[in-house]
Amino acid sequence: MVLSKENTFHYTWGESCDGWIFVENENLSVKQERMPAHTSEQLHYHEKAQQFFFILKGVATFEIEDETIEVKANEGLHIEAGKKHRIRNNCEDDLEFILSSQPTTKGDRINTPNP
């Protein structure tokens, strides 16, 4: 089956952010997410899951441990399991990206205080 935002499960998270689940099983999670302007997520880490973010639209600002990295449209970023991280949209436009996690992050998210 061909999947799109129109025929997959939609969810909301954080500060008015949207997500669509394309694949969700114990070994792999693939989602598309949208973050409105000036939103961010809670700093966190995953004990088991590694993640890959591919930016479709906008500029993502990632905090990974003590480093800040900007990732633009048509660029991607790999985050290893165990690394504290969060994504922010510091721009005036929506941020859209594909998020792949292996294995799934279901039950594998530990929130930490934001700096």
Side-chain angles (χ1 to χ4, degrees), residues 45-61:
Y45 66 94
H46 307 283
E47 291 182 331
K48 298 176 185 170
Q50 62 179 321
Q51 295 187 299
F52 182 78
F53 291 78
F54 186 80
I55 308 306
L56 300 171
K57 176 184 171 188
V59 178
T61 301

Side-chain angles (χ1 to χ4, degrees), residues 67-104:
E67 188 176 6
T68 301
I69 302 169
E70 282 196 349
V71 183
K72 300 173 188 153
N74 298 310
E75 296 180 338
L77 180 69
H78 175 244
I79 300 176
E80 297 173 11
K83 299 277 186 178
K84 291 181 188 173
H85 65 278
R86 73 173 170 165
I87 185 173
R88 295 188 329 235
N89 180 5
N90 294 334
C91 298
E92 299 298 324
D93 297 318
D94 285 355
L95 171 64
E96 294 182 20
F97 55 92
I98 300 292
L99 170 57
S100 178
S101 304
Q102 189 271 326
T104 183

